[in-house]
Amino acid sequence: MRLLLVEDNVALADQLNPLLRDHGYAVDWLADGRDALVRVHDDPYDLVILDLGLPGLGGLDVLKQWRGEGVTVPVLILTARDSWAERVDGLRAGADDYLTKPFHPEELLLRVQAVLRRSHGSANQACLNVGGVELDEERQSAWLEGNEIALTGAEFRLLRYFMLNAGKLLSRMQLADHLYDGESERDSNVLEVHINRVRRKLGAPVIQTRRGQGYVFTGLPR
């Protein structure tokens, strides 16, 4: 999943960037609201973490302009502890959730996971369970018929994106845009290698190939 972090506090951004990457997210970081206003149109982000107290253009104004332009990407806003009015204004402007500073990193991760599940229609699930495959986001592993399947970081990111978009046709470009940071990864055969590894671990039928179109996660046959 590809996230945009918009936060002008360098120390906090330096803490959150590796934390999010370690939990399987591709992350882009910006510190100015004016840059964020434009950047969200350039890449297919799955979620934006948006601080409201930004230089250049405040986070609330950024959010209002995004929604006015029809940008529907889920947004988690970061607000000051005592600023209840900011939280209300942010939710009215179209934020999907909020988190007050200071916060524990674990709470941020849980809120990110919850917003992503809601945005993909899995709001009632404490964990992802699709087509007979259960994804453990804490351990970054999969469970199949009561057995835990170890996954590499890349396999976990790939499987999570497939499961959140189960039944949808995903092109190679879509997958690369949401999963990888580096251009070298996008331009190589790395994606095909990871898909084949996931198939070997979970069973070939879980991911179907649509020749010339892309891939579909269907889960295990019933």
Side-chain angles (χ1 to χ4, degrees):
M1 310 297 287
R2 191 169 205 86
L3 310 184
L4 176 62
L5 172 63
V6 191
E7 170 60 66
D8 66 315
N9 184 319
V10 176
L12 180 58
D14 284 346
Q15 179 186 14
L16 296 182
N17 266 307
L19 172 75
L20 291 165
R21 289 195 172 99
D22 286 347
H23 283 78
Y25 299 103
V27 184
D28 295 327
W29 170 46
L30 295 175
D32 191 292
R34 293 166 297 189
D35 295 332
L37 191 65
V38 177
R39 183 62 175 272
V40 78
H41 295 284
D42 297 336
D43 291 286
Y45 292 107
D46 296 288
L47 180 140
V48 178
I49 301 171
L50 177 68
D51 181 34
L52 295 188
L54 295 171
L57 186 65
L60 188 59
D61 291 325
V62 171
L63 179 57
K64 287 178 178 178
Q65 288 196 46
W66 280 344
R67 295 310 189 223
E69 294 166 355
V71 175
T72 59
V73 61
V75 175
L76 171 63
I77 57 174
L78 305 180
T79 71
R81 172 185 289 176
D82 299 324
S83 187
W84 63 268
E86 272 193 350
R87 299 197 293 272
V88 171
D89 289 343
L91 292 171
R92 283 177 175 165
D96 296 83
D97 201 354
Y98 68 86
L99 193 57
T100 57
K101 297 178 180 178
F103 52 81
H104 193 280
E106 185 67 23
E107 184 179 5
L108 174 71
L109 290 171
L110 290 174
R111 287 185 182 267
V112 166
Q113 291 169 10
V115 171
L116 287 171
R117 285 198 298 268
R118 288 200 300 270
S119 69
H120 288 82
S122 303
N124 296 324
Q125 297 183 20
C127 62
L128 281 176
N129 194 328
V130 182
V133 179
E134 182 176 324
L135 190 69
D136 187 329
E137 297 199 56
E138 182 66 28
R139 295 172 60 86
Q140 296 195 17
S141 61
W143 288 83
L144 197 64
E145 298 177 344
N147 298 311
E148 186 175 17
I149 310 297
L151 301 170
T152 66
E155 292 163 0
F156 168 75
R157 293 194 301 271
L158 178 69
L159 182 58
R160 176 170 58 189
Y161 191 68
F162 267 125
M163 291 177 68
L164 284 169
N165 293 278
K168 297 179 182 178
L169 178 64
L170 302 174
S171 68
R172 291 175 63 91
M173 182 175 293
Q174 280 178 287
L175 290 167
D177 283 344
H178 285 270
L179 294 170
Y180 301 126
D181 289 318
E183 290 298 325
S184 61
E185 291 178 303
R186 299 184 191 207
D187 295 338
S188 69
N189 293 320
V190 170
L191 178 61
E192 187 70 34
V193 170
H194 291 153
I195 288 174
N196 287 333
R197 287 177 177 170
V198 170
R199 283 170 167 161
R200 283 198 295 270
K201 290 183 176 183
L202 302 181
V206 297
I207 301 174
Q208 295 183 0
T209 299
R210 299 283 180 83
R211 194 165 300 281
Q213 295 177 297
Y215 305 91
V216 179
F217 180 87
T218 57
L220 296 173
R222 295 180 180 179

